[in-house]
Amino acid sequence: MRSRGAFARVRSAVFARHSNPWSAWSRWATAPLLLVPVWTRSWPHAAVVGAWFAVNPVLFPEPADQRAWATKAVLGEELWLLDHRRDAGLAVDAAASGALMIALFGAWRRRPVSAAVATGAQMLLLLVYWELMARYYETHRDAETS
């Protein structure tokens, strides 16, 4: 049980820092970097991209408040993940993951149009997902604090 409490504290700390709009938006904006190591078939590129995506959620401090849309989206995702919801958020997240898989396949096959279109679709779907998570946060944040 003790390790579960430690994991929950670490998870909460990571989400708190990742809810900084700089963290959320910079991660979203750099999503196309995921294609680089696949396109180039380069382990060093994979290491750099992997390091960026590992460090990004803790690179920035916690936001001063929770008014920003990106902040609400990230904190809403944390609450939503804890609830194990099977709803529109899950469907949109699955669709975004599917679009990413198509983009990665396009990068592997070195097909720039399919990789770019699928990456664009994935990024748009992530914004839809964020909107759902921000709404989820707005309706469930009071239950989380009590």
Side-chain angles (χ1 to χ4, degrees), residues 22-55:
W22 283 99
S23 177
W25 284 113
S26 62
R27 189 174 177 115
W28 177 84
T30 57
L33 290 178
L34 292 169
L35 303 183
V36 171
V38 176
W39 188 282
T40 63
R41 293 159 175 78
S42 166
W43 284 109
H45 291 161
V48 170
V49 171
W52 164 249
F53 279 92
V55 169

PDB file of all heavy atoms in Angstrom, residues 22-55:
ATOM      1  N   TRP A  22       2.793  26.197 -20.592  1.00  0.00           N
ATOM      2  CA  TRP A  22       4.015  26.070 -21.391  1.00  0.00           C
ATOM      3  C   TRP A  22       4.349  24.599 -21.633  1.00  0.00           C
ATOM      4  O   TRP A  22       4.798  24.220 -22.712  1.00  0.00           O
ATOM      5  CB  TRP A  22       5.190  26.768 -20.703  1.00  0.00           C
ATOM      6  CG  TRP A  22       5.133  28.254 -20.854  1.00  0.00           C
ATOM      7  CD1 TRP A  22       4.681  29.161 -19.937  1.00  0.00           C
ATOM      8  CD2 TRP A  22       5.517  29.009 -22.003  1.00  0.00           C
ATOM      9  NE1 TRP A  22       4.776  30.431 -20.446  1.00  0.00           N
ATOM     10  CE2 TRP A  22       5.286  30.367 -21.721  1.00  0.00           C
ATOM     11  CE3 TRP A  22       6.037  28.664 -23.239  1.00  0.00           C
ATOM     12  CZ2 TRP A  22       5.550  31.381 -22.624  1.00  0.00           C
ATOM     13  CZ3 TRP A  22       6.306  29.681 -24.145  1.00  0.00           C
ATOM     14  CH2 TRP A  22       6.062  31.012 -23.837  1.00  0.00           C
ATOM     15  N   SER A  23       4.162  23.776 -20.619  1.00  0.00           N
ATOM     16  CA  SER A  23       4.440  22.352 -20.754  1.00  0.00           C
ATOM     17  C   SER A  23       3.450  21.696 -21.710  1.00  0.00           C
ATOM     18  O   SER A  23       3.839  20.979 -22.639  1.00  0.00           O
ATOM     19  CB  SER A  23       4.379  21.668 -19.388  1.00  0.00           C
ATOM     20  OG  SER A  23       4.577  20.281 -19.506  1.00  0.00           O
ATOM     21  N   ALA A  24       2.177  21.941 -21.470  1.00  0.00           N
ATOM     22  CA  ALA A  24       1.147  21.307 -22.299  1.00  0.00           C
ATOM     23  C   ALA A  24       1.272  21.719 -23.767  1.00  0.00           C
ATOM     24  O   ALA A  24       1.283  20.867 -24.664  1.00  0.00           O
ATOM     25  CB  ALA A  24      -0.238  21.669 -21.755  1.00  0.00           C
ATOM     26  N   TRP A  25       1.378  23.020 -24.011  1.00  0.00           N
ATOM     27  CA  TRP A  25       1.423  23.492 -25.395  1.00  0.00           C
ATOM     28  C   TRP A  25       2.727  23.113 -26.102  1.00  0.00           C
ATOM     29  O   TRP A  25       2.716  22.796 -27.297  1.00  0.00           O
ATOM     30  CB  TRP A  25       1.195  24.999 -25.474  1.00  0.00           C
ATOM     31  CG  TRP A  25      -0.247  25.356 -25.289  1.00  0.00           C
ATOM     32  CD1 TRP A  25      -0.781  26.047 -24.238  1.00  0.00           C
ATOM     33  CD2 TRP A  25      -1.334  25.036 -26.154  1.00  0.00           C
ATOM     34  NE1 TRP A  25      -2.142  26.168 -24.409  1.00  0.00           N
ATOM     35  CE2 TRP A  25      -2.503  25.557 -25.575  1.00  0.00           C
ATOM     36  CE3 TRP A  25      -1.437  24.351 -27.363  1.00  0.00           C
ATOM     37  CZ2 TRP A  25      -3.765  25.422 -26.156  1.00  0.00           C
ATOM     38  CZ3 TRP A  25      -2.685  24.212 -27.949  1.00  0.00           C
ATOM     39  CH2 TRP A  25      -3.829  24.745 -27.356  1.00  0.00           C
ATOM     40  N   SER A  26       3.845  23.143 -25.389  1.00  0.00           N
ATOM     41  CA  SER A  26       5.100  22.776 -26.048  1.00  0.00           C
ATOM     42  C   SER A  26       5.116  21.292 -26.388  1.00  0.00           C
ATOM     43  O   SER A  26       5.643  20.890 -27.425  1.00  0.00           O
ATOM     44  CB  SER A  26       6.313  23.153 -25.188  1.00  0.00           C
ATOM     45  OG  SER A  26       6.314  22.456 -23.963  1.00  0.00           O
ATOM     46  N   ARG A  27       4.522  20.478 -25.543  1.00  0.00           N
ATOM     47  CA  ARG A  27       4.431  19.051 -25.855  1.00  0.00           C
ATOM     48  C   ARG A  27       3.525  18.826 -27.055  1.00  0.00           C
ATOM     49  O   ARG A  27       3.835  18.044 -27.946  1.00  0.00           O
ATOM     50  CB  ARG A  27       3.931  18.281 -24.633  1.00  0.00           C
ATOM     51  CG  ARG A  27       4.025  16.781 -24.802  1.00  0.00           C
ATOM     52  CD  ARG A  27       3.656  16.103 -23.493  1.00  0.00           C
ATOM     53  NE  ARG A  27       3.653  14.682 -23.621  1.00  0.00           N
ATOM     54  CZ  ARG A  27       4.487  13.871 -22.994  1.00  0.00           C
ATOM     55  NH1 ARG A  27       5.403  14.368 -22.188  1.00  0.00           N
ATOM     56  NH2 ARG A  27       4.395  12.578 -23.137  1.00  0.00           N
ATOM     57  N   TRP A  28       2.380  19.515 -27.084  1.00  0.00           N
ATOM     58  CA  TRP A  28       1.456  19.375 -28.215  1.00  0.00           C
ATOM     59  C   TRP A  28       2.129  19.835 -29.510  1.00  0.00           C
ATOM     60  O   TRP A  28       2.058  19.149 -30.521  1.00  0.00           O
ATOM     61  CB  TRP A  28       0.176  20.196 -27.946  1.00  0.00           C
ATOM     62  CG  TRP A  28      -0.786  20.149 -29.085  1.00  0.00           C
ATOM     63  CD1 TRP A  28      -1.715  19.183 -29.329  1.00  0.00           C
ATOM     64  CD2 TRP A  28      -0.914  21.105 -30.147  1.00  0.00           C
ATOM     65  NE1 TRP A  28      -2.403  19.481 -30.479  1.00  0.00           N
ATOM     66  CE2 TRP A  28      -1.927  20.651 -30.999  1.00  0.00           C
ATOM     67  CE3 TRP A  28      -0.250  22.289 -30.446  1.00  0.00           C
ATOM     68  CZ2 TRP A  28      -2.307  21.345 -32.139  1.00  0.00           C
ATOM     69  CZ3 TRP A  28      -0.625  22.989 -31.583  1.00  0.00           C
ATOM     70  CH2 TRP A  28      -1.646  22.517 -32.413  1.00  0.00           C
ATOM     71  N   ALA A  29       2.791  20.983 -29.464  1.00  0.00           N
ATOM     72  CA  ALA A  29       3.400  21.553 -30.671  1.00  0.00           C
ATOM     73  C   ALA A  29       4.545  20.707 -31.205  1.00  0.00           C
ATOM     74  O   ALA A  29       4.840  20.755 -32.405  1.00  0.00           O
ATOM     75  CB  ALA A  29       3.895  22.973 -30.382  1.00  0.00           C
ATOM     76  N   THR A  30       5.181  19.953 -30.346  1.00  0.00           N
ATOM     77  CA  THR A  30       6.313  19.133 -30.796  1.00  0.00           C
ATOM     78  C   THR A  30       5.920  17.690 -31.085  1.00  0.00           C
ATOM     79  O   THR A  30       6.793  16.855 -31.347  1.00  0.00           O
ATOM     80  CB  THR A  30       7.461  19.175 -29.760  1.00  0.00           C
ATOM     81  OG1 THR A  30       6.975  18.741 -28.494  1.00  0.00           O
ATOM     82  CG2 THR A  30       8.037  20.577 -29.645  1.00  0.00           C
ATOM     83  N   ALA A  31       4.646  17.396 -31.091  1.00  0.00           N
ATOM     84  CA  ALA A  31       4.188  16.034 -31.414  1.00  0.00           C
ATOM     85  C   ALA A  31       4.745  15.515 -32.745  1.00  0.00           C
ATOM     86  O   ALA A  31       5.094  14.335 -32.842  1.00  0.00           O
ATOM     87  CB  ALA A  31       2.662  15.970 -31.404  1.00  0.00           C
ATOM     88  N   PRO A  32       4.887  16.361 -33.776  1.00  0.00           N
ATOM     89  CA  PRO A  32       5.460  15.848 -35.028  1.00  0.00           C
ATOM     90  C   PRO A  32       6.885  15.296 -34.884  1.00  0.00           C
ATOM     91  O   PRO A  32       7.327  14.503 -35.721  1.00  0.00           O
ATOM     92  CB  PRO A  32       5.436  17.062 -35.962  1.00  0.00           C
ATOM     93  CG  PRO A  32       4.305  17.898 -35.450  1.00  0.00           C
ATOM     94  CD  PRO A  32       4.357  17.722 -33.943  1.00  0.00           C
ATOM     95  N   LEU A  33       7.580  15.690 -33.825  1.00  0.00           N
ATOM     96  CA  LEU A  33       8.936  15.158 -33.615  1.00  0.00           C
ATOM     97  C   LEU A  33       8.935  13.640 -33.444  1.00  0.00           C
ATOM     98  O   LEU A  33       9.957  12.988 -33.679  1.00  0.00           O
ATOM     99  CB  LEU A  33       9.589  15.795 -32.393  1.00  0.00           C
ATOM    100  CG  LEU A  33       9.983  17.251 -32.503  1.00  0.00           C
ATOM    101  CD1 LEU A  33      10.570  17.738 -31.190  1.00  0.00           C
ATOM    102  CD2 LEU A  33      10.973  17.456 -33.644  1.00  0.00           C
ATOM    103  N   LEU A  34       7.800  13.075 -33.042  1.00  0.00           N
ATOM    104  CA  LEU A  34       7.717  11.620 -32.889  1.00  0.00           C
ATOM    105  C   LEU A  34       8.020  10.890 -34.193  1.00  0.00           C
ATOM    106  O   LEU A  34       8.481   9.748 -34.184  1.00  0.00           O
ATOM    107  CB  LEU A  34       6.334  11.219 -32.374  1.00  0.00           C
ATOM    108  CG  LEU A  34       6.005  11.648 -30.954  1.00  0.00           C
ATOM    109  CD1 LEU A  34       4.530  11.426 -30.661  1.00  0.00           C
ATOM    110  CD2 LEU A  34       6.873  10.893 -29.964  1.00  0.00           C
ATOM    111  N   LEU A  35       7.796  11.559 -35.309  1.00  0.00           N
ATOM    112  CA  LEU A  35       8.024  10.928 -36.614  1.00  0.00           C
ATOM    113  C   LEU A  35       9.496  10.921 -37.022  1.00  0.00           C
ATOM    114  O   LEU A  35       9.908  10.090 -37.832  1.00  0.00           O
ATOM    115  CB  LEU A  35       7.213  11.635 -37.694  1.00  0.00           C
ATOM    116  CG  LEU A  35       5.710  11.715 -37.491  1.00  0.00           C
ATOM    117  CD1 LEU A  35       5.055  12.371 -38.692  1.00  0.00           C
ATOM    118  CD2 LEU A  35       5.102  10.371 -37.208  1.00  0.00           C
ATOM    119  N   VAL A  36      10.272  11.827 -36.460  1.00  0.00           N
ATOM    120  CA  VAL A  36      11.666  11.988 -36.891  1.00  0.00           C
ATOM    121  C   VAL A  36      12.480  10.701 -36.769  1.00  0.00           C
ATOM    122  O   VAL A  36      13.087  10.258 -37.750  1.00  0.00           O
ATOM    123  CB  VAL A  36      12.348  13.177 -36.179  1.00  0.00           C
ATOM    124  CG1 VAL A  36      13.836  13.209 -36.469  1.00  0.00           C
ATOM    125  CG2 VAL A  36      11.681  14.485 -36.590  1.00  0.00           C
ATOM    126  N   PRO A  37      12.530  10.059 -35.592  1.00  0.00           N
ATOM    127  CA  PRO A  37      13.360   8.846 -35.509  1.00  0.00           C
ATOM    128  C   PRO A  37      12.842   7.700 -36.371  1.00  0.00           C
ATOM    129  O   PRO A  37      13.626   6.873 -36.833  1.00  0.00           O
ATOM    130  CB  PRO A  37      13.336   8.478 -34.025  1.00  0.00           C
ATOM    131  CG  PRO A  37      12.275   9.278 -33.410  1.00  0.00           C
ATOM    132  CD  PRO A  37      11.969  10.431 -34.309  1.00  0.00           C
ATOM    133  N   VAL A  38      11.546   7.679 -36.608  1.00  0.00           N
ATOM    134  CA  VAL A  38      10.985   6.633 -37.465  1.00  0.00           C
ATOM    135  C   VAL A  38      11.375   6.906 -38.912  1.00  0.00           C
ATOM    136  O   VAL A  38      11.782   5.990 -39.647  1.00  0.00           O
ATOM    137  CB  VAL A  38       9.454   6.549 -37.294  1.00  0.00           C
ATOM    138  CG1 VAL A  38       8.853   5.528 -38.240  1.00  0.00           C
ATOM    139  CG2 VAL A  38       9.094   6.226 -35.847  1.00  0.00           C
ATOM    140  N   TRP A  39      11.249   8.152 -39.331  1.00  0.00           N
ATOM    141  CA  TRP A  39      11.603   8.530 -40.703  1.00  0.00           C
ATOM    142  C   TRP A  39      13.088   8.294 -40.960  1.00  0.00           C
ATOM    143  O   TRP A  39      13.473   7.749 -41.991  1.00  0.00           O
ATOM    144  CB  TRP A  39      11.241   9.996 -40.940  1.00  0.00           C
ATOM    145  CG  TRP A  39      11.386  10.413 -42.367  1.00  0.00           C
ATOM    146  CD1 TRP A  39      12.533  10.716 -43.031  1.00  0.00           C
ATOM    147  CD2 TRP A  39      10.333  10.565 -43.320  1.00  0.00           C
ATOM    148  NE1 TRP A  39      12.283  11.051 -44.322  1.00  0.00           N
ATOM    149  CE2 TRP A  39      10.930  10.971 -44.544  1.00  0.00           C
ATOM    150  CE3 TRP A  39       8.959  10.412 -43.263  1.00  0.00           C
ATOM    151  CZ2 TRP A  39      10.176  11.215 -45.689  1.00  0.00           C
ATOM    152  CZ3 TRP A  39       8.213  10.665 -44.411  1.00  0.00           C
ATOM    153  CH2 TRP A  39       8.828  11.050 -45.604  1.00  0.00           C
ATOM    154  N   THR A  40      13.918   8.734 -40.015  1.00  0.00           N
ATOM    155  CA  THR A  40      15.372   8.653 -40.217  1.00  0.00           C
ATOM    156  C   THR A  40      15.956   7.308 -39.799  1.00  0.00           C
ATOM    157  O   THR A  40      17.118   7.030 -40.108  1.00  0.00           O
ATOM    158  CB  THR A  40      16.091   9.760 -39.403  1.00  0.00           C
ATOM    159  OG1 THR A  40      15.861   9.552 -38.008  1.00  0.00           O
ATOM    160  CG2 THR A  40      15.643  11.140 -39.837  1.00  0.00           C
ATOM    161  N   ARG A  41      15.155   6.521 -39.068  1.00  0.00           N
ATOM    162  CA  ARG A  41      15.613   5.225 -38.540  1.00  0.00           C
ATOM    163  C   ARG A  41      16.892   5.401 -37.721  1.00  0.00           C
ATOM    164  O   ARG A  41      17.854   4.663 -37.868  1.00  0.00           O
ATOM    165  CB  ARG A  41      15.788   4.215 -39.667  1.00  0.00           C
ATOM    166  CG  ARG A  41      14.461   3.832 -40.324  1.00  0.00           C
ATOM    167  CD  ARG A  41      14.677   3.253 -41.707  1.00  0.00           C
ATOM    168  NE  ARG A  41      13.471   2.767 -42.339  1.00  0.00           N
ATOM    169  CZ  ARG A  41      12.547   3.508 -42.922  1.00  0.00           C
ATOM    170  NH1 ARG A  41      12.656   4.817 -42.907  1.00  0.00           N
ATOM    171  NH2 ARG A  41      11.497   2.974 -43.504  1.00  0.00           N
ATOM    172  N   SER A  42      16.849   6.398 -36.860  1.00  0.00           N
ATOM    173  CA  SER A  42      18.026   6.784 -36.095  1.00  0.00           C
ATOM    174  C   SER A  42      17.777   6.637 -34.589  1.00  0.00           C
ATOM    175  O   SER A  42      16.889   7.298 -34.042  1.00  0.00           O
ATOM    176  CB  SER A  42      18.384   8.240 -36.418  1.00  0.00           C
ATOM    177  OG  SER A  42      19.302   8.753 -35.489  1.00  0.00           O
ATOM    178  N   TRP A  43      18.581   5.793 -33.944  1.00  0.00           N
ATOM    179  CA  TRP A  43      18.486   5.649 -32.489  1.00  0.00           C
ATOM    180  C   TRP A  43      18.874   6.928 -31.764  1.00  0.00           C
ATOM    181  O   TRP A  43      18.231   7.277 -30.759  1.00  0.00           O
ATOM    182  CB  TRP A  43      19.325   4.461 -32.021  1.00  0.00           C
ATOM    183  CG  TRP A  43      18.648   3.161 -32.313  1.00  0.00           C
ATOM    184  CD1 TRP A  43      19.023   2.237 -33.247  1.00  0.00           C
ATOM    185  CD2 TRP A  43      17.461   2.648 -31.704  1.00  0.00           C
ATOM    186  NE1 TRP A  43      18.153   1.180 -33.258  1.00  0.00           N
ATOM    187  CE2 TRP A  43      17.175   1.407 -32.313  1.00  0.00           C
ATOM    188  CE3 TRP A  43      16.616   3.113 -30.714  1.00  0.00           C
ATOM    189  CZ2 TRP A  43      16.087   0.630 -31.957  1.00  0.00           C
ATOM    190  CZ3 TRP A  43      15.517   2.337 -30.351  1.00  0.00           C
ATOM    191  CH2 TRP A  43      15.272   1.118 -30.976  1.00  0.00           C
ATOM    192  N   PRO A  44      19.904   7.647 -32.207  1.00  0.00           N
ATOM    193  CA  PRO A  44      20.193   8.925 -31.520  1.00  0.00           C
ATOM    194  C   PRO A  44      19.019   9.912 -31.600  1.00  0.00           C
ATOM    195  O   PRO A  44      18.727  10.599 -30.620  1.00  0.00           O
ATOM    196  CB  PRO A  44      21.430   9.460 -32.251  1.00  0.00           C
ATOM    197  CG  PRO A  44      22.108   8.223 -32.765  1.00  0.00           C
ATOM    198  CD  PRO A  44      20.982   7.295 -33.152  1.00  0.00           C
ATOM    199  N   HIS A  45      18.347   9.955 -32.739  1.00  0.00           N
ATOM    200  CA  HIS A  45      17.167  10.825 -32.842  1.00  0.00           C
ATOM    201  C   HIS A  45      16.078  10.353 -31.881  1.00  0.00           C
ATOM    202  O   HIS A  45      15.409  11.164 -31.227  1.00  0.00           O
ATOM    203  CB  HIS A  45      16.618  10.851 -34.266  1.00  0.00           C
ATOM    204  CG  HIS A  45      17.496  11.550 -35.240  1.00  0.00           C
ATOM    205  ND1 HIS A  45      17.391  11.365 -36.594  1.00  0.00           N
ATOM    206  CD2 HIS A  45      18.514  12.436 -35.073  1.00  0.00           C
ATOM    207  CE1 HIS A  45      18.295  12.103 -37.216  1.00  0.00           C
ATOM    208  NE2 HIS A  45      18.990  12.759 -36.301  1.00  0.00           N
ATOM    209  N   ALA A  46      15.905   9.034 -31.790  1.00  0.00           N
ATOM    210  CA  ALA A  46      14.908   8.486 -30.866  1.00  0.00           C
ATOM    211  C   ALA A  46      15.248   8.854 -29.424  1.00  0.00           C
ATOM    212  O   ALA A  46      14.352   9.177 -28.632  1.00  0.00           O
ATOM    213  CB  ALA A  46      14.820   6.972 -31.035  1.00  0.00           C
ATOM    214  N   ALA A  47      16.521   8.824 -29.078  1.00  0.00           N
ATOM    215  CA  ALA A  47      16.933   9.161 -27.715  1.00  0.00           C
ATOM    216  C   ALA A  47      16.638  10.624 -27.400  1.00  0.00           C
ATOM    217  O   ALA A  47      16.133  10.941 -26.312  1.00  0.00           O
ATOM    218  CB  ALA A  47      18.418   8.861 -27.529  1.00  0.00           C
ATOM    219  N   VAL A  48      16.916  11.512 -28.351  1.00  0.00           N
ATOM    220  CA  VAL A  48      16.677  12.944 -28.122  1.00  0.00           C
ATOM    221  C   VAL A  48      15.176  13.218 -28.012  1.00  0.00           C
ATOM    222  O   VAL A  48      14.728  13.911 -27.085  1.00  0.00           O
ATOM    223  CB  VAL A  48      17.315  13.794 -29.247  1.00  0.00           C
ATOM    224  CG1 VAL A  48      16.866  15.245 -29.165  1.00  0.00           C
ATOM    225  CG2 VAL A  48      18.827  13.695 -29.183  1.00  0.00           C
ATOM    226  N   VAL A  49      14.401  12.661 -28.928  1.00  0.00           N
ATOM    227  CA  VAL A  49      12.951  12.874 -28.894  1.00  0.00           C
ATOM    228  C   VAL A  49      12.362  12.247 -27.625  1.00  0.00           C
ATOM    229  O   VAL A  49      11.529  12.854 -26.944  1.00  0.00           O
ATOM    230  CB  VAL A  49      12.280  12.321 -30.169  1.00  0.00           C
ATOM    231  CG1 VAL A  49      10.765  12.343 -30.053  1.00  0.00           C
ATOM    232  CG2 VAL A  49      12.727  13.121 -31.389  1.00  0.00           C
ATOM    233  N   GLY A  50      12.805  11.052 -27.289  1.00  0.00           N
ATOM    234  CA  GLY A  50      12.327  10.401 -26.073  1.00  0.00           C
ATOM    235  C   GLY A  50      12.666  11.197 -24.828  1.00  0.00           C
ATOM    236  O   GLY A  50      11.841  11.334 -23.912  1.00  0.00           O
ATOM    237  N   ALA A  51      13.866  11.754 -24.795  1.00  0.00           N
ATOM    238  CA  ALA A  51      14.272  12.567 -23.648  1.00  0.00           C
ATOM    239  C   ALA A  51      13.388  13.805 -23.532  1.00  0.00           C
ATOM    240  O   ALA A  51      12.960  14.173 -22.425  1.00  0.00           O
ATOM    241  CB  ALA A  51      15.744  12.962 -23.768  1.00  0.00           C
ATOM    242  N   TRP A  52      13.105  14.446 -24.657  1.00  0.00           N
ATOM    243  CA  TRP A  52      12.241  15.631 -24.637  1.00  0.00           C
ATOM    244  C   TRP A  52      10.862  15.282 -24.078  1.00  0.00           C
ATOM    245  O   TRP A  52      10.340  15.970 -23.196  1.00  0.00           O
ATOM    246  CB  TRP A  52      12.100  16.245 -26.028  1.00  0.00           C
ATOM    247  CG  TRP A  52      10.950  17.204 -26.106  1.00  0.00           C
ATOM    248  CD1 TRP A  52       9.794  17.039 -26.801  1.00  0.00           C
ATOM    249  CD2 TRP A  52      10.819  18.468 -25.430  1.00  0.00           C
ATOM    250  NE1 TRP A  52       8.951  18.107 -26.598  1.00  0.00           N
ATOM    251  CE2 TRP A  52       9.565  18.996 -25.771  1.00  0.00           C
ATOM    252  CE3 TRP A  52      11.644  19.181 -24.578  1.00  0.00           C
ATOM    253  CZ2 TRP A  52       9.120  20.219 -25.284  1.00  0.00           C
ATOM    254  CZ3 TRP A  52      11.193  20.402 -24.100  1.00  0.00           C
ATOM    255  CH2 TRP A  52       9.950  20.910 -24.451  1.00  0.00           C
ATOM    256  N   PHE A  53      10.274  14.196 -24.561  1.00  0.00           N
ATOM    257  CA  PHE A  53       8.933  13.840 -24.105  1.00  0.00           C
ATOM    258  C   PHE A  53       8.930  13.335 -22.663  1.00  0.00           C
ATOM    259  O   PHE A  53       7.913  13.432 -21.979  1.00  0.00           O
ATOM    260  CB  PHE A  53       8.277  12.841 -25.067  1.00  0.00           C
ATOM    261  CG  PHE A  53       7.695  13.525 -26.272  1.00  0.00           C
ATOM    262  CD1 PHE A  53       8.447  13.684 -27.419  1.00  0.00           C
ATOM    263  CD2 PHE A  53       6.423  14.039 -26.248  1.00  0.00           C
ATOM    264  CE1 PHE A  53       7.935  14.343 -28.522  1.00  0.00           C
ATOM    265  CE2 PHE A  53       5.888  14.701 -27.341  1.00  0.00           C
ATOM    266  CZ  PHE A  53       6.641  14.860 -28.485  1.00  0.00           C
ATOM    267  N   ALA A  54      10.049  12.827 -22.183  1.00  0.00           N
ATOM    268  CA  ALA A  54      10.146  12.406 -20.783  1.00  0.00           C
ATOM    269  C   ALA A  54      10.332  13.599 -19.852  1.00  0.00           C
ATOM    270  O   ALA A  54       9.751  13.639 -18.758  1.00  0.00           O
ATOM    271  CB  ALA A  54      11.302  11.425 -20.616  1.00  0.00           C
ATOM    272  N   VAL A  55      11.107  14.583 -20.281  1.00  0.00           N
ATOM    273  CA  VAL A  55      11.427  15.732 -19.436  1.00  0.00           C
ATOM    274  C   VAL A  55      10.338  16.804 -19.480  1.00  0.00           C
ATOM    275  O   VAL A  55      10.088  17.479 -18.478  1.00  0.00           O
ATOM    276  CB  VAL A  55      12.794  16.329 -19.850  1.00  0.00           C
ATOM    277  CG1 VAL A  55      13.059  17.669 -19.203  1.00  0.00           C
ATOM    278  CG2 VAL A  55      13.906  15.353 -19.518  1.00  0.00           C
TER     279      VAL A  55
END
